[in-house]
Amino acid sequence: MTKFRCVALAAALLQLAILDLVGISSMTFAQSATQGAADALIKNPNIVFIMADDLGFGEVGYYGQQLIQTPRIDELAASGLSFTQFYAGATVCAPSRCTLMTGRHNGHATVRGNAGFENSEIQSLKDEDYTIAELLKERGYATACVGKWGLGELDQPGHPMRQGFDHFFGYLNQHHAHNYYPTYLYDDYEPLRLTNKVVFADPQRGDLAGGYATERNMYSGDLFIDRAIEFVTKPRSSPFFLYLALTLPHGNNEATRMIGNGADVPDWSEYNDRDWSLNSKQHAAMITRMDTGVGRIVDQLKRLGLDKNTLVIFTSDNGPHDESKHELDRFEPSGPLRGIKRSLYEGGIRVPMIASWPGVIEPGTVSDHIGYSGDFFQTAAQLTGELCDVENGPIDSISFVPTLLAGTPFAQTVQPQQKHQYLYFEFYEQQSRQSVRFGDWKAVRQPMQNGKIELFNLASDLGETTDVAKQSPSQLEQARLYMDEAHSDNPRWKVGSTKQSSAN
């Protein structure tokens, strides 16, 4: 069954761009040929999308971190484009990943929160959901998901290999993903046994309930980088899409509760001489180990001569966590922003976002374009030649290809960057909340639908310290209208009546 209708717009967009720039009457054959060549250079690149887990806006050196070392991610930013106003799909894991995969915000998406064991089916994508992996696979891409999925179990329609991925390696279940030394990982549909020994939080559920390792032999974070490198190295005649959903630096929640420290990492020697708590040393080491892994992938792309034909994106699924019991005040993981994971203030949803594509994206550039991870859907669609129009529901995605190409000769091949009327977020835990970003304005309503609305002007108050709702009645009413418009009822996600899990 066709889930989406794709509309061939690339040729029309190219033609409009040419007309705008030179006028049809004066366009020469040479100009047409030049633009056609430029368009060909940026069509159908390999795509490596790397998403960290619970990495804050301020936990990367390029975004202001002073204590935690991230030299390879900083190099990636220096080689390409960094966004200053980019948002995750949600403030917790599963809904953020759903938005990334489907291009639908929390008010329209199938998965809108983290579900408990008893409700795992509501955290699965449906058959009718259409993912970016399905779109790219239909366009001839080899596709792989490595890392943490969280959108469908082995027997559910949301399993990644039922949603467009040729291969999967990693964790299906979020609780399973808390433990960096599990007894197995899934390799496609089959469990790959590891040599770790684990004390389970719930022996009846085993790995699916999480736990901590007493024998630590095989670290999942390293295995994911190894498998990612294996995938990009495989000889093939078609382009590839790698979705690398790292678990670093997410805390091991069960280990925190059982032994008091949820920062799982094999080595923290680079921070051992710091006057910090052990939890903080290990949390910092988790981020630096992730940074090393990102560098390994970039280096392999260069060795293979693929770097100039590969778009590498690095971002996070939501704001920073405090679940390893490390020192938030020391690291200031949200930077200048208010709040952390589970908050709908900026610190819970604004994330680092870096795009590198040597020879295409201008190095060392910074953009204040306001976008979010749901925009990857139309971005990838446009890069492969066609934007997508939906048949069975709204899509909340705008391509940021024009921003990627801004200031380069390739910019003339596309129309100017579109802007969102607003960005919208929901959260179903902690009595619920919703938020909307429109222009410089940001509103947060707690609880959803009938709570008090706070209003902030981010241009003058980035830290969201002063509620200006009373002084700005027209913007307050606009925020209310946007939030009401964006939310569509879903029987699987009802405020106050559905048990969700706050442990992910």
Side-chain angles (χ1 to χ4, degrees), residues 251-273:
N252 184 339
N253 296 9
E254 287 71 40
T256 301
R257 290 190 286 269
M258 297 168 78
I259 59 175
N261 185 349
D264 260 348
V265 67
D267 177 68
W268 57 95
S269 57
E270 66 265 57
Y271 297 104
N272 207 34
D273 62 348

mmCIF file with all atom_site columns, all heavy atoms in Angstrom, residues 251-273:
data_model
loop_
_atom_site.group_PDB
_atom_site.id
_atom_site.type_symbol
_atom_site.label_atom_id
_atom_site.label_alt_id
_atom_site.label_comp_id
_atom_site.label_asym_id
_atom_site.label_entity_id
_atom_site.label_seq_id
_atom_site.pdbx_PDB_ins_code
_atom_site.Cartn_x
_atom_site.Cartn_y
_atom_site.Cartn_z
_atom_site.occupancy
_atom_site.B_iso_or_equiv
_atom_site.pdbx_formal_charge
_atom_site.auth_seq_id
_atom_site.auth_comp_id
_atom_site.auth_asym_id
_atom_site.auth_atom_id
_atom_site.pdbx_PDB_model_num
ATOM 1   N N   . GLY A 1 251 ? 22.416 7.772  30.701 1.00 0.00 ? 251 GLY A N   1
ATOM 2   C CA  . GLY A 1 251 ? 22.781 7.064  31.915 1.00 0.00 ? 251 GLY A CA  1
ATOM 3   C C   . GLY A 1 251 ? 22.168 5.677  31.983 1.00 0.00 ? 251 GLY A C   1
ATOM 4   O O   . GLY A 1 251 ? 21.135 5.413  31.363 1.00 0.00 ? 251 GLY A O   1
ATOM 5   N N   . ASN A 1 252 ? 22.809 4.805  32.718 1.00 0.00 ? 252 ASN A N   1
ATOM 6   C CA  . ASN A 1 252 ? 22.227 3.500  33.024 1.00 0.00 ? 252 ASN A CA  1
ATOM 7   C C   . ASN A 1 252 ? 21.342 3.683  34.253 1.00 0.00 ? 252 ASN A C   1
ATOM 8   O O   . ASN A 1 252 ? 21.812 3.636  35.392 1.00 0.00 ? 252 ASN A O   1
ATOM 9   C CB  . ASN A 1 252 ? 23.315 2.457  33.275 1.00 0.00 ? 252 ASN A CB  1
ATOM 10  C CG  . ASN A 1 252 ? 22.743 1.073  33.504 1.00 0.00 ? 252 ASN A CG  1
ATOM 11  O OD1 . ASN A 1 252 ? 21.577 0.908  33.848 1.00 0.00 ? 252 ASN A OD1 1
ATOM 12  N ND2 . ASN A 1 252 ? 23.559 0.057  33.316 1.00 0.00 ? 252 ASN A ND2 1
ATOM 13  N N   . ASN A 1 253 ? 20.062 3.900  34.029 1.00 0.00 ? 253 ASN A N   1
ATOM 14  C CA  . ASN A 1 253 ? 19.140 4.236  35.121 1.00 0.00 ? 253 ASN A CA  1
ATOM 15  C C   . ASN A 1 253 ? 19.067 3.141  36.175 1.00 0.00 ? 253 ASN A C   1
ATOM 16  O O   . ASN A 1 253 ? 19.002 3.419  37.372 1.00 0.00 ? 253 ASN A O   1
ATOM 17  C CB  . ASN A 1 253 ? 17.741 4.490  34.553 1.00 0.00 ? 253 ASN A CB  1
ATOM 18  C CG  . ASN A 1 253 ? 17.705 5.686  33.632 1.00 0.00 ? 253 ASN A CG  1
ATOM 19  O OD1 . ASN A 1 253 ? 18.744 6.247  33.266 1.00 0.00 ? 253 ASN A OD1 1
ATOM 20  N ND2 . ASN A 1 253 ? 16.517 6.082  33.222 1.00 0.00 ? 253 ASN A ND2 1
ATOM 21  N N   . GLU A 1 254 ? 19.058 1.891  35.721 1.00 0.00 ? 254 GLU A N   1
ATOM 22  C CA  . GLU A 1 254 ? 18.967 0.789  36.675 1.00 0.00 ? 254 GLU A CA  1
ATOM 23  C C   . GLU A 1 254 ? 20.228 0.700  37.535 1.00 0.00 ? 254 GLU A C   1
ATOM 24  O O   . GLU A 1 254 ? 20.168 0.447  38.742 1.00 0.00 ? 254 GLU A O   1
ATOM 25  C CB  . GLU A 1 254 ? 18.724 -0.532 35.936 1.00 0.00 ? 254 GLU A CB  1
ATOM 26  C CG  . GLU A 1 254 ? 17.309 -0.676 35.381 1.00 0.00 ? 254 GLU A CG  1
ATOM 27  C CD  . GLU A 1 254 ? 17.035 0.241  34.204 1.00 0.00 ? 254 GLU A CD  1
ATOM 28  O OE1 . GLU A 1 254 ? 17.937 0.405  33.347 1.00 0.00 ? 254 GLU A OE1 1
ATOM 29  O OE2 . GLU A 1 254 ? 15.927 0.810  34.128 1.00 0.00 ? 254 GLU A OE2 1
ATOM 30  N N   . ALA A 1 255 ? 21.395 0.919  36.917 1.00 0.00 ? 255 ALA A N   1
ATOM 31  C CA  . ALA A 1 255 ? 22.637 0.910  37.693 1.00 0.00 ? 255 ALA A CA  1
ATOM 32  C C   . ALA A 1 255 ? 22.648 2.045  38.721 1.00 0.00 ? 255 ALA A C   1
ATOM 33  O O   . ALA A 1 255 ? 23.132 1.867  39.843 1.00 0.00 ? 255 ALA A O   1
ATOM 34  C CB  . ALA A 1 255 ? 23.843 1.026  36.768 1.00 0.00 ? 255 ALA A CB  1
ATOM 35  N N   . THR A 1 256 ? 22.107 3.192  38.342 1.00 0.00 ? 256 THR A N   1
ATOM 36  C CA  . THR A 1 256 ? 22.034 4.306  39.295 1.00 0.00 ? 256 THR A CA  1
ATOM 37  C C   . THR A 1 256 ? 21.240 3.896  40.525 1.00 0.00 ? 256 THR A C   1
ATOM 38  O O   . THR A 1 256 ? 21.642 4.171  41.669 1.00 0.00 ? 256 THR A O   1
ATOM 39  C CB  . THR A 1 256 ? 21.391 5.539  38.644 1.00 0.00 ? 256 THR A CB  1
ATOM 40  O OG1 . THR A 1 256 ? 22.159 5.921  37.502 1.00 0.00 ? 256 THR A OG1 1
ATOM 41  C CG2 . THR A 1 256 ? 21.331 6.704  39.620 1.00 0.00 ? 256 THR A CG2 1
ATOM 42  N N   . ARG A 1 257 ? 20.111 3.225  40.296 1.00 0.00 ? 257 ARG A N   1
ATOM 43  C CA  . ARG A 1 257 ? 19.271 2.823  41.423 1.00 0.00 ? 257 ARG A CA  1
ATOM 44  C C   . ARG A 1 257 ? 19.875 1.657  42.212 1.00 0.00 ? 257 ARG A C   1
ATOM 45  O O   . ARG A 1 257 ? 19.707 1.574  43.425 1.00 0.00 ? 257 ARG A O   1
ATOM 46  C CB  . ARG A 1 257 ? 17.882 2.439  40.915 1.00 0.00 ? 257 ARG A CB  1
ATOM 47  C CG  . ARG A 1 257 ? 17.066 3.619  40.414 1.00 0.00 ? 257 ARG A CG  1
ATOM 48  C CD  . ARG A 1 257 ? 15.621 3.226  40.154 1.00 0.00 ? 257 ARG A CD  1
ATOM 49  N NE  . ARG A 1 257 ? 15.492 2.423  38.957 1.00 0.00 ? 257 ARG A NE  1
ATOM 50  C CZ  . ARG A 1 257 ? 15.265 2.920  37.738 1.00 0.00 ? 257 ARG A CZ  1
ATOM 51  N NH1 . ARG A 1 257 ? 15.170 4.237  37.581 1.00 0.00 ? 257 ARG A NH1 1
ATOM 52  N NH2 . ARG A 1 257 ? 15.133 2.126  36.695 1.00 0.00 ? 257 ARG A NH2 1
ATOM 53  N N   . MET A 1 258 ? 20.612 0.784  41.529 1.00 0.00 ? 258 MET A N   1
ATOM 54  C CA  . MET A 1 258 ? 21.105 -0.437 42.178 1.00 0.00 ? 258 MET A CA  1
ATOM 55  C C   . MET A 1 258 ? 22.470 -0.255 42.840 1.00 0.00 ? 258 MET A C   1
ATOM 56  O O   . MET A 1 258 ? 22.727 -0.800 43.917 1.00 0.00 ? 258 MET A O   1
ATOM 57  C CB  . MET A 1 258 ? 21.157 -1.574 41.157 1.00 0.00 ? 258 MET A CB  1
ATOM 58  C CG  . MET A 1 258 ? 19.783 -1.945 40.584 1.00 0.00 ? 258 MET A CG  1
ATOM 59  S SD  . MET A 1 258 ? 19.854 -3.040 39.143 1.00 0.00 ? 258 MET A SD  1
ATOM 60  C CE  . MET A 1 258 ? 20.165 -4.626 39.904 1.00 0.00 ? 258 MET A CE  1
ATOM 61  N N   . ILE A 1 259 ? 23.367 0.514  42.191 1.00 0.00 ? 259 ILE A N   1
ATOM 62  C CA  . ILE A 1 259 ? 24.716 0.670  42.742 1.00 0.00 ? 259 ILE A CA  1
ATOM 63  C C   . ILE A 1 259 ? 25.140 2.128  42.871 1.00 0.00 ? 259 ILE A C   1
ATOM 64  O O   . ILE A 1 259 ? 26.262 2.413  43.283 1.00 0.00 ? 259 ILE A O   1
ATOM 65  C CB  . ILE A 1 259 ? 25.754 -0.100 41.896 1.00 0.00 ? 259 ILE A CB  1
ATOM 66  C CG1 . ILE A 1 259 ? 25.758 0.398  40.446 1.00 0.00 ? 259 ILE A CG1 1
ATOM 67  C CG2 . ILE A 1 259 ? 25.491 -1.597 41.955 1.00 0.00 ? 259 ILE A CG2 1
ATOM 68  C CD1 . ILE A 1 259 ? 26.845 -0.251 39.586 1.00 0.00 ? 259 ILE A CD1 1
ATOM 69  N N   . GLY A 1 260 ? 24.263 3.061  42.465 1.00 0.00 ? 260 GLY A N   1
ATOM 70  C CA  . GLY A 1 260 ? 24.519 4.473  42.711 1.00 0.00 ? 260 GLY A CA  1
ATOM 71  C C   . GLY A 1 260 ? 25.260 5.234  41.640 1.00 0.00 ? 260 GLY A C   1
ATOM 72  O O   . GLY A 1 260 ? 25.482 6.440  41.776 1.00 0.00 ? 260 GLY A O   1
ATOM 73  N N   . ASN A 1 261 ? 25.643 4.591  40.532 1.00 0.00 ? 261 ASN A N   1
ATOM 74  C CA  . ASN A 1 261 ? 26.362 5.276  39.463 1.00 0.00 ? 261 ASN A CA  1
ATOM 75  C C   . ASN A 1 261 ? 25.910 4.720  38.123 1.00 0.00 ? 261 ASN A C   1
ATOM 76  O O   . ASN A 1 261 ? 26.079 3.534  37.848 1.00 0.00 ? 261 ASN A O   1
ATOM 77  C CB  . ASN A 1 261 ? 27.876 5.085  39.623 1.00 0.00 ? 261 ASN A CB  1
ATOM 78  C CG  . ASN A 1 261 ? 28.676 5.885  38.615 1.00 0.00 ? 261 ASN A CG  1
ATOM 79  O OD1 . ASN A 1 261 ? 28.138 6.435  37.661 1.00 0.00 ? 261 ASN A OD1 1
ATOM 80  N ND2 . ASN A 1 261 ? 29.986 5.958  38.828 1.00 0.00 ? 261 ASN A ND2 1
ATOM 81  N N   . GLY A 1 262 ? 25.336 5.582  37.303 1.00 0.00 ? 262 GLY A N   1
ATOM 82  C CA  . GLY A 1 262 ? 24.818 5.146  36.017 1.00 0.00 ? 262 GLY A CA  1
ATOM 83  C C   . GLY A 1 262 ? 25.663 5.561  34.835 1.00 0.00 ? 262 GLY A C   1
ATOM 84  O O   . GLY A 1 262 ? 25.190 5.502  33.705 1.00 0.00 ? 262 GLY A O   1
ATOM 85  N N   . ALA A 1 263 ? 26.906 5.999  35.066 1.00 0.00 ? 263 ALA A N   1
ATOM 86  C CA  . ALA A 1 263 ? 27.787 6.392  33.966 1.00 0.00 ? 263 ALA A CA  1
ATOM 87  C C   . ALA A 1 263 ? 28.644 5.200  33.575 1.00 0.00 ? 263 ALA A C   1
ATOM 88  O O   . ALA A 1 263 ? 29.671 4.925  34.191 1.00 0.00 ? 263 ALA A O   1
ATOM 89  C CB  . ALA A 1 263 ? 28.653 7.575  34.375 1.00 0.00 ? 263 ALA A CB  1
ATOM 90  N N   . ASP A 1 264 ? 28.217 4.475  32.546 1.00 0.00 ? 264 ASP A N   1
ATOM 91  C CA  . ASP A 1 264 ? 28.888 3.251  32.119 1.00 0.00 ? 264 ASP A CA  1
ATOM 92  C C   . ASP A 1 264 ? 29.917 3.567  31.041 1.00 0.00 ? 264 ASP A C   1
ATOM 93  O O   . ASP A 1 264 ? 29.557 3.977  29.929 1.00 0.00 ? 264 ASP A O   1
ATOM 94  C CB  . ASP A 1 264 ? 27.855 2.267  31.546 1.00 0.00 ? 264 ASP A CB  1
ATOM 95  C CG  . ASP A 1 264 ? 27.463 1.190  32.539 1.00 0.00 ? 264 ASP A CG  1
ATOM 96  O OD1 . ASP A 1 264 ? 28.145 1.065  33.578 1.00 0.00 ? 264 ASP A OD1 1
ATOM 97  O OD2 . ASP A 1 264 ? 26.483 0.479  32.272 1.00 0.00 ? 264 ASP A OD2 1
ATOM 98  N N   . VAL A 1 265 ? 31.192 3.357  31.341 1.00 0.00 ? 265 VAL A N   1
ATOM 99  C CA  . VAL A 1 265 ? 32.235 3.598  30.350 1.00 0.00 ? 265 VAL A CA  1
ATOM 100 C C   . VAL A 1 265 ? 33.450 2.747  30.726 1.00 0.00 ? 265 VAL A C   1
ATOM 101 O O   . VAL A 1 265 ? 33.750 2.571  31.909 1.00 0.00 ? 265 VAL A O   1
ATOM 102 C CB  . VAL A 1 265 ? 32.599 5.101  30.290 1.00 0.00 ? 265 VAL A CB  1
ATOM 103 C CG1 . VAL A 1 265 ? 33.260 5.574  31.573 1.00 0.00 ? 265 VAL A CG1 1
ATOM 104 C CG2 . VAL A 1 265 ? 33.424 5.438  29.073 1.00 0.00 ? 265 VAL A CG2 1
ATOM 105 N N   . PRO A 1 266 ? 34.144 2.168  29.734 1.00 0.00 ? 266 PRO A N   1
ATOM 106 C CA  . PRO A 1 266 ? 35.267 1.301  30.069 1.00 0.00 ? 266 PRO A CA  1
ATOM 107 C C   . PRO A 1 266 ? 36.453 2.013  30.696 1.00 0.00 ? 266 PRO A C   1
ATOM 108 O O   . PRO A 1 266 ? 37.195 1.432  31.490 1.00 0.00 ? 266 PRO A O   1
ATOM 109 C CB  . PRO A 1 266 ? 35.667 0.698  28.706 1.00 0.00 ? 266 PRO A CB  1
ATOM 110 C CG  . PRO A 1 266 ? 34.482 0.878  27.829 1.00 0.00 ? 266 PRO A CG  1
ATOM 111 C CD  . PRO A 1 266 ? 33.837 2.144  28.301 1.00 0.00 ? 266 PRO A CD  1
ATOM 112 N N   . ASP A 1 267 ? 36.658 3.274  30.347 1.00 0.00 ? 267 ASP A N   1
ATOM 113 C CA  . ASP A 1 267 ? 37.870 3.971  30.773 1.00 0.00 ? 267 ASP A CA  1
ATOM 114 C C   . ASP A 1 267 ? 37.581 5.458  30.941 1.00 0.00 ? 267 ASP A C   1
ATOM 115 O O   . ASP A 1 267 ? 36.860 6.050  30.136 1.00 0.00 ? 267 ASP A O   1
ATOM 116 C CB  . ASP A 1 267 ? 38.964 3.762  29.721 1.00 0.00 ? 267 ASP A CB  1
ATOM 117 C CG  . ASP A 1 267 ? 40.235 4.504  30.059 1.00 0.00 ? 267 ASP A CG  1
ATOM 118 O OD1 . ASP A 1 267 ? 40.903 4.129  31.045 1.00 0.00 ? 267 ASP A OD1 1
ATOM 119 O OD2 . ASP A 1 267 ? 40.550 5.480  29.352 1.00 0.00 ? 267 ASP A OD2 1
ATOM 120 N N   . TRP A 1 268 ? 38.136 6.050  31.978 1.00 0.00 ? 268 TRP A N   1
ATOM 121 C CA  . TRP A 1 268 ? 37.967 7.486  32.212 1.00 0.00 ? 268 TRP A CA  1
ATOM 122 C C   . TRP A 1 268 ? 39.295 8.132  32.605 1.00 0.00 ? 268 TRP A C   1
ATOM 123 O O   . TRP A 1 268 ? 39.358 9.138  33.278 1.00 0.00 ? 268 TRP A O   1
ATOM 124 C CB  . TRP A 1 268 ? 36.903 7.750  33.275 1.00 0.00 ? 268 TRP A CB  1
ATOM 125 C CG  . TRP A 1 268 ? 37.144 7.078  34.613 1.00 0.00 ? 268 TRP A CG  1
ATOM 126 C CD1 . TRP A 1 268 ? 37.751 7.620  35.712 1.00 0.00 ? 268 TRP A CD1 1
ATOM 127 C CD2 . TRP A 1 268 ? 36.763 5.755  34.977 1.00 0.00 ? 268 TRP A CD2 1
ATOM 128 N NE1 . TRP A 1 268 ? 37.775 6.705  36.743 1.00 0.00 ? 268 TRP A NE1 1
ATOM 129 C CE2 . TRP A 1 268 ? 37.173 5.546  36.311 1.00 0.00 ? 268 TRP A CE2 1
ATOM 130 C CE3 . TRP A 1 268 ? 36.120 4.701  34.292 1.00 0.00 ? 268 TRP A CE3 1
ATOM 131 C CZ2 . TRP A 1 268 ? 36.961 4.332  36.980 1.00 0.00 ? 268 TRP A CZ2 1
ATOM 132 C CZ3 . TRP A 1 268 ? 35.912 3.499  34.958 1.00 0.00 ? 268 TRP A CZ3 1
ATOM 133 C CH2 . TRP A 1 268 ? 36.329 3.332  36.280 1.00 0.00 ? 268 TRP A CH2 1
ATOM 134 N N   . SER A 1 269 ? 40.398 7.524  32.128 1.00 0.00 ? 269 SER A N   1
ATOM 135 C CA  . SER A 1 269 ? 41.725 7.956  32.554 1.00 0.00 ? 269 SER A CA  1
ATOM 136 C C   . SER A 1 269 ? 42.022 9.408  32.175 1.00 0.00 ? 269 SER A C   1
ATOM 137 O O   . SER A 1 269 ? 42.780 10.084 32.873 1.00 0.00 ? 269 SER A O   1
ATOM 138 C CB  . SER A 1 269 ? 42.792 7.031  31.969 1.00 0.00 ? 269 SER A CB  1
ATOM 139 O OG  . SER A 1 269 ? 42.709 6.980  30.551 1.00 0.00 ? 269 SER A OG  1
ATOM 140 N N   . GLU A 1 270 ? 41.422 9.900  31.074 1.00 0.00 ? 270 GLU A N   1
ATOM 141 C CA  . GLU A 1 270 ? 41.700 11.283 30.672 1.00 0.00 ? 270 GLU A CA  1
ATOM 142 C C   . GLU A 1 270 ? 41.147 12.300 31.655 1.00 0.00 ? 270 GLU A C   1
ATOM 143 O O   . GLU A 1 270 ? 41.524 13.474 31.635 1.00 0.00 ? 270 GLU A O   1
ATOM 144 C CB  . GLU A 1 270 ? 41.167 11.562 29.262 1.00 0.00 ? 270 GLU A CB  1
ATOM 145 C CG  . GLU A 1 270 ? 39.647 11.514 29.125 1.00 0.00 ? 270 GLU A CG  1
ATOM 146 C CD  . GLU A 1 270 ? 39.136 10.174 28.660 1.00 0.00 ? 270 GLU A CD  1
ATOM 147 O OE1 . GLU A 1 270 ? 39.420 9.165  29.322 1.00 0.00 ? 270 GLU A OE1 1
ATOM 148 O OE2 . GLU A 1 270 ? 38.444 10.142 27.630 1.00 0.00 ? 270 GLU A OE2 1
ATOM 149 N N   . TYR A 1 271 ? 40.251 11.844 32.550 1.00 0.00 ? 271 TYR A N   1
ATOM 150 C CA  . TYR A 1 271 ? 39.675 12.748 33.556 1.00 0.00 ? 271 TYR A CA  1
ATOM 151 C C   . TYR A 1 271 ? 40.013 12.316 34.987 1.00 0.00 ? 271 TYR A C   1
ATOM 152 O O   . TYR A 1 271 ? 39.514 12.910 35.938 1.00 0.00 ? 271 TYR A O   1
ATOM 153 C CB  . TYR A 1 271 ? 38.152 12.802 33.393 1.00 0.00 ? 271 TYR A CB  1
ATOM 154 C CG  . TYR A 1 271 ? 37.721 13.360 32.061 1.00 0.00 ? 271 TYR A CG  1
ATOM 155 C CD1 . TYR A 1 271 ? 37.255 12.517 31.051 1.00 0.00 ? 271 TYR A CD1 1
ATOM 156 C CD2 . TYR A 1 271 ? 37.797 14.724 31.794 1.00 0.00 ? 271 TYR A CD2 1
ATOM 157 C CE1 . TYR A 1 271 ? 36.871 13.026 29.815 1.00 0.00 ? 271 TYR A CE1 1
ATOM 158 C CE2 . TYR A 1 271 ? 37.422 15.241 30.565 1.00 0.00 ? 271 TYR A CE2 1
ATOM 159 C CZ  . TYR A 1 271 ? 36.960 14.377 29.582 1.00 0.00 ? 271 TYR A CZ  1
ATOM 160 O OH  . TYR A 1 271 ? 36.589 14.889 28.369 1.00 0.00 ? 271 TYR A OH  1
ATOM 161 N N   . ASN A 1 272 ? 40.862 11.312 35.118 1.00 0.00 ? 272 ASN A N   1
ATOM 162 C CA  . ASN A 1 272 ? 41.080 10.734 36.448 1.00 0.00 ? 272 ASN A CA  1
ATOM 163 C C   . ASN A 1 272 ? 41.753 11.702 37.414 1.00 0.00 ? 272 ASN A C   1
ATOM 164 O O   . ASN A 1 272 ? 41.588 11.580 38.637 1.00 0.00 ? 272 ASN A O   1
ATOM 165 C CB  . ASN A 1 272 ? 41.911 9.449  36.337 1.00 0.00 ? 272 ASN A CB  1
ATOM 166 C CG  . ASN A 1 272 ? 41.634 8.501  37.479 1.00 0.00 ? 272 ASN A CG  1
ATOM 167 O OD1 . ASN A 1 272 ? 40.515 8.422  37.973 1.00 0.00 ? 272 ASN A OD1 1
ATOM 168 N ND2 . ASN A 1 272 ? 42.663 7.789  37.911 1.00 0.00 ? 272 ASN A ND2 1
ATOM 169 N N   . ASP A 1 273 ? 42.519 12.669 36.909 1.00 0.00 ? 273 ASP A N   1
ATOM 170 C CA  . ASP A 1 273 ? 43.202 13.601 37.796 1.00 0.00 ? 273 ASP A CA  1
ATOM 171 C C   . ASP A 1 273 ? 42.358 14.829 38.139 1.00 0.00 ? 273 ASP A C   1
ATOM 172 O O   . ASP A 1 273 ? 42.823 15.730 38.842 1.00 0.00 ? 273 ASP A O   1
ATOM 173 C CB  . ASP A 1 273 ? 44.520 14.052 37.176 1.00 0.00 ? 273 ASP A CB  1
ATOM 174 C CG  . ASP A 1 273 ? 44.330 14.795 35.854 1.00 0.00 ? 273 ASP A CG  1
ATOM 175 O OD1 . ASP A 1 273 ? 43.200 14.761 35.310 1.00 0.00 ? 273 ASP A OD1 1
ATOM 176 O OD2 . ASP A 1 273 ? 45.308 15.396 35.364 1.00 0.00 ? 273 ASP A OD2 1
#
